[in-house]
Amino acid sequence: MSDRTLNLDDKLYRYVLDHSVREHPSQAALREATRNHPHSGMQISPEQGQFMALLVKLMGARKTIEIGVFTGYSALAVALALPEDGQVLACDISDEYTRIGKPFWTQAGVAHKIDLRLQPALTTLDQRIAEGAKGQYDFAFIDADKGSYDAYYERCLTLVRAGGLITIDNVLWSGKVAGPADSEDTAAIQALNDKLHHDERIDLSLLPVGDGLTLARKR
Ligand code: SAM
Ligand code: CA
């Protein structure tokens, strides 16, 4: 027995999936449709999607932000957890990726909750701030280009209400954050992790879920 997080081998990971994941049929179908995509590894895992959906429900979130949509799995997971009048402000720059997911949003009956903005996420976030949306959002998920993570975090901190939650993906970066910065992406994630550790504006938890998921609750 150890108090450390277990290293999951394939058998134990399979057990976790088999004993917890409850995907909507459209989520399973979207996962299947993304399986052979050259960048399929960018998609979050089903257990992470389910965890984020649970957070959204626990918070009673209604207005959410997603930065980095890809083929739309995380947006679908969150949209399914939202009430009928809930919203995902979904930011991406790729029509090619996001068009793969749209039919599955429709199939699941949640397309009306997902407001996809195809332009650099910083432009969309700055537009919302300029439109007076400060403090209006309950939940945000940051999962796009790593070099802009700090800028996304600062915008989200402005847009999220006190008590709202910012979640940040890939904060362990395949373990590379614990070594020397081998790339600009690694350095950007390391710098953000360092900053958040002492950021008095938030309550913090860095979870070894997937590739590392930070939860930052705005104070
Ligand atoms: N959350 C997604 C999922 O679960 O399937 C995965 C997102 S993927 C890791 C990163 C996405 O960020 C890509 O779809 C890419 O097009 C998008 N992206 C890259 N640079 C961006 C930018 N400047 N603004 C908005 N999106 C960007
Ligand atoms: Ca990711």
Side-chain angles (χ1 to χ4, degrees):
M1 282 268 282
S2 161
D3 58 1
R4 296 258 303 262
T5 302
L6 283 175
N7 249 329
L8 297 187
D9 59 17
D10 289 349
K11 191 173 154 209
L12 192 52
Y13 181 54
R14 186 75 249 165
Y15 182 91
V16 171
L17 295 178
D18 287 347
H19 290 80
S20 70
V21 169
R22 304 171 172 185
E23 276 185 317
H24 186 283
S26 300
Q27 286 180 288
L30 175 52
R31 178 169 300 288
E32 195 49 43
T34 310
R35 189 180 303 281
N36 293 321
H37 192 283
H39 298 300
S40 60
M42 296 208 296
Q43 188 173 60
I44 61 162
S45 63
E47 73 277 13
Q48 182 174 334
Q50 189 166 308
F51 175 61
M52 287 164 50
L54 184 71
L55 291 175
V56 163
K57 286 193 180 181
L58 274 172
M59 296 178 70
R62 206 175 62 75
K63 294 191 73 173
T64 71
I65 299 169
E66 170 158 299
I67 304 169
V69 177
F70 186 44
T71 63
Y73 187 87
S74 45
L76 178 57
V78 167
L80 283 164
L82 289 171
E84 260 312 295
D85 65 346
Q87 277 283 304
V88 182
L89 178 68
C91 308
D92 207 290
I93 45 175
S94 173
D95 175 57
E96 186 192 330
Y97 296 161
T98 54
R99 76 195 316 176
I100 296 171
K102 280 183 189 171
F104 298 92
W105 298 345
T106 304
Q107 194 185 90
V110 297
H112 63 288
K113 299 183 196 173
I114 303 175
D115 176 9
L116 178 63
R117 308 278 182 100
L118 286 179
Q119 59 181 1
L122 277 180
T123 306
T124 300
L125 300 172
D126 284 338
Q127 278 171 356
R128 292 302 294 133
I129 291 168
E131 287 161 5
K134 282 184 189 176
Q136 286 189 4
Y137 288 86
D138 305 297
F139 176 91
F141 178 49
I142 300 175
D143 190 21
D145 50 313
K146 310 309 168 197
S148 299
Y149 260 32
D150 185 52
Y152 296 147
Y153 169 69
E154 289 298 332
R155 297 324 187 271
C156 287
L157 210 48
T158 299
L159 287 164
V160 162
R161 64 171 165 86
L165 189 67
I166 301 167
T167 60
I168 310 171
D169 202 33
N170 304 104
V171 294
L172 295 179
W173 207 226
S174 307
K176 287 186 267 187
V177 289
D182 63 343
S183 70
E184 287 181 9
D185 285 349
T186 304
I189 296 172
Q190 287 173 325
L192 185 63
N193 288 341
D194 287 348
K195 168 171 152 174
L196 264 57
H197 189 197
H198 302 291
D199 191 336
E200 292 296 329
R201 299 171 295 175
I202 55 159
D203 298 309
L204 177 68
S205 181
L206 193 170
L207 295 174
V209 169
D211 191 30
L213 181 69
T214 281
L215 308 186
R217 175 192 175 275
K218 182 173 170 178
R219 286 179 170 162

